[in-house]
Amino acid sequence: MDVILGITTANEVIVITSRAFVRGVSILKADDKDKTRILSPHTMMAFTGESGDTVQFAEFIQANIQLHEMRNAVELSPSAITSFLRNQLATSLRSRKPYNVNVLVAGYDEAKGKPELNWVDYLSAKVSVPYAAHGYAAYYTLSLLDRWHRTDLTLEEGLKVAEMCVAELKKRLPIDFKGVDIKVVDKDGIRTEKVIE
Amino acid sequence: MSDPSSINGGAIVAMVGKDCVAIACDMRLGMQALTVSNDFPKIYQYNNTFIGLAGLATDVLTLSEVFRYKVNMYNLREERDIEPETFANLVSSTLYEKRFGPYFVGPIVAGINSKTGKPYICGFDLIGCINFAKDFVVGGTTSHQLFGMCESLWEPDLEPEDLFETISQALMNAQDRDAMSGAGGLVYIITKDKIVKRLLKTRQD
């Protein structure tokens, strides 16, 4: 029931993650900031899935990307990072105990000068998309995004669409997800834009 | 519905014309009934040979990378482009290698032999059994609908432009009868010295 949402605008990607840490029907923590990891100065990932697998996999990817950047002194593009991530997840899929993790990779491609959002599910199907969500959030927000998303959205307009999505989720989801963290990736890097309680 | 080959959906079709072949696919990527993307082409080009990969999206991506690697190695070893017939056998043996834990795909190969100039199309099952065809081959969740459309629209010795019209209409009308595929189309028309790629705009539901 975690909410993981990504929206690209003209110059940035907006990443929305819920603040509740849920196990079964219980909320164990109401200000969970653990659903994202920073992979490189301009790329971050948000994730849901089996608890344990999620953070383990995310930090494995994070460590390897950081190692690659230290060894080679170059920042990888978001698409290169996603390819690596997909390859690791696809290899794990046909192992004895696959990682059960769904991922959104949000980044700003400095070479192309464009924001980029990649959707990867636990089967390692990967696709580059203008907006995406995982889990139940997808059923409630994708229709809104179909209606209101444009490729030339400004950050303010993008945040407005994001808030519409959060309002809809608050209305429709049976468990209170304790608000969301909204993060933004743009040419200057990654920052927490705002928190909706 | 947890059948791996029909989680993501997809439609692939290839046809033979007069000294030309065509291969086409839809653009949808879904999870069950939910459409995730309308920009997921399933046709890959290696030299002058094309392969359409319908089935589980993760295996579509994995195999496209495996074939890219294998064809690049072939090019380096042989110092020439791979022919469609050779590529078809490469696909077959690659799939059979995973006989007891297969990739969940139904590939289709299309191309023109650069030596003889003969059009070549064929299809495969998920473990690499080759299905040779003189007229057309279909694949993906839309294969039943595509069989119907191809049986009624296809005729021998179509010129490239007529073949484009035939394959496009077959694809579009078939995918409109399948909820798991659609969201646009991609068509390649291949002749001996020219490859034309066209995008089809279709309904998005």
Side-chain angles (χ1 to χ4, degrees):
Chain A
M1 284 283 183
D2 291 343
V3 174
I4 302 286
L5 242 176
I7 306 168
T8 59
T9 59
N11 301 309
E12 53 271 302
V13 192
I14 302 168
V15 177
I16 300 150
T17 53
S18 58
R19 286 160 63 81
F21 183 86
V22 185
R23 178 182 290 172
V25 293
S26 309
I27 292 168
L28 302 184
K29 194 168 188 259
D31 60 344
D32 177 33
K33 293 179 187 67
D34 231 24
K35 292 186 185 82
T36 61
R37 282 291 181 280
I38 292 170
L39 302 179
S40 78
H42 291 90
T43 309
M44 65 177 285
M45 67 186 282
F47 45 86
T48 59
E50 198 171 306
S51 52
D53 278 8
T54 50
V55 174
Q56 198 70 28
F57 179 71
E59 291 185 351
F60 168 72
I61 297 298
Q62 183 186 36
N64 275 284
I65 296 299
Q66 285 174 352
L67 176 65
H68 186 279
E69 264 166 36
M70 282 190 282
R71 277 182 173 166
N72 301 292
V74 279
E75 194 183 331
L76 288 171
S77 68
S79 58
I81 289 174
T82 315
S83 283
F84 171 73
L85 185 149
R86 194 202 90 83
N87 192 249
Q88 292 299 316
L89 201 58
T91 310
S92 134
L93 182 70
R94 290 180 195 275
S95 69
R96 196 179 58 79
K97 179 69 177 72
Y99 285 113
N100 196 287
V101 191
N102 300 303
V103 185
L104 292 180
V105 182
Y108 184 85
D109 193 324
E110 281 193 300
K112 286 185 195 150
K114 268 186 186 158
E116 195 177 306
L117 177 65
N118 288 289
W119 178 96
V120 183
D121 73 358
Y122 74 103
L123 297 169
S124 331
K126 180 195 96 171
V127 66
S128 178
V129 282
Y131 46 85
H134 275 299
Y136 288 102
Y139 297 113
Y140 301 124
T141 55
L142 287 188
S143 52
L144 274 172
L145 289 161
D146 283 341
R147 174 64 185 82
W148 295 108
H149 183 269
R150 279 180 288 115
T151 46
D152 63 343
L153 284 175
T154 63
L155 177 59
E156 287 68 35
E157 289 172 322
L159 289 169
K160 225 175 228 173
V161 178
E163 279 168 34
M164 284 170 70
C165 292
V166 175
E168 188 68 19
L169 290 164
K170 274 189 179 157
K171 188 154 70 186
R172 301 287 178 185
L173 285 177
I175 298 180
D176 179 11
F177 52 85
K178 301 292 173 193
V180 291
D181 284 335
I182 300 181
K183 294 184 176 162
V184 169
V185 189
D186 63 10
K187 64 177 187 338
D188 302 319
I190 302 158
R191 64 175 188 274
T192 303
E193 182 71 16
K194 66 197 276 187
V195 176
I196 302 179
E197 294 285 343
Chain B
M1 255 302 163
S2 66
D3 167 24
S5 58
S6 58
I7 292 172
N8 303 117
I12 310 264
V13 54
M15 282 180 180
V16 172
K18 191 167 192 299
D19 303 320
C20 60
V21 286
I23 183 166
C25 69
D26 73 327
M27 295 288 273
R28 181 179 181 269
L29 177 114
M31 281 185 70
Q32 261 87 264
L34 179 77
T35 300
V36 174
S37 175
N38 57 6
D39 188 16
F40 191 77
K42 296 158 190 76
I43 296 173
Y44 297 87
Q45 181 179 358
Y46 304 106
N47 304 149
N48 289 318
T49 303
F50 290 76
I51 183 168
L53 291 159
L56 192 66
T58 178
D59 290 342
V60 170
L61 295 168
T62 304
L63 276 174
S64 73
E65 287 168 12
V66 168
F67 291 140
R68 183 178 63 190
Y69 167 74
K70 288 191 172 181
V71 171
N72 282 344
M73 291 305 283
Y74 180 94
N75 292 157
L76 289 170
R77 250 194 333 262
E78 301 276 329
E79 295 182 336
R80 64 191 166 98
D81 285 356
I82 199 166
E83 299 294 345
E85 291 87 344
T86 321
F87 183 65
N89 283 294
L90 176 81
V91 172
S92 178
S93 52
T94 306
L95 291 175
Y96 197 78
E97 235 171 49
K98 296 272 187 287
R99 171 63 179 81
F100 297 110
Y103 294 113
F104 296 97
V105 288
I108 284 173
V109 166
I112 291 180
N113 189 301
S114 65
K115 276 260 167 60
T116 63
K118 270 178 81 175
Y120 180 86
I121 57 164
C122 69
F124 306 82
D125 68 3
L126 78 169
I127 53 171
C129 175
I130 308 182
N131 163 31
F132 299 105
K134 283 184 215 142
D135 43 10
F136 52 79
V137 273
V138 298
T141 56
T142 325
S143 61
H144 297 90
Q145 291 88 332
L146 280 166
F147 262 124
M149 287 313 300
C150 292
E151 287 286 9
S152 51
L153 295 185
W154 186 84
E155 50 190 292
D157 297 325
L158 286 163
E159 296 294 329
E161 276 309 303
D162 298 326
L163 187 67
F164 165 71
E165 203 58 31
T166 306
I167 198 169
S168 302
Q169 289 300 334
L171 178 75
M172 289 190 292
N173 289 289
Q175 70 188 19
D176 277 359
R177 279 284 176 181
D178 180 18
M180 306 286 286
S181 64
L186 178 63
V187 185
Y188 287 91
I189 307 289
I190 306 142
T191 47
K192 196 153 192 299
D193 43 28
K194 199 163 83 173
I195 294 162
V196 181
K197 175 184 179 182
R198 290 201 181 98
L199 277 163
L200 305 176
K201 274 191 182 178
T202 70
R203 46 191 298 160
Q204 298 287 309
D205 61 358

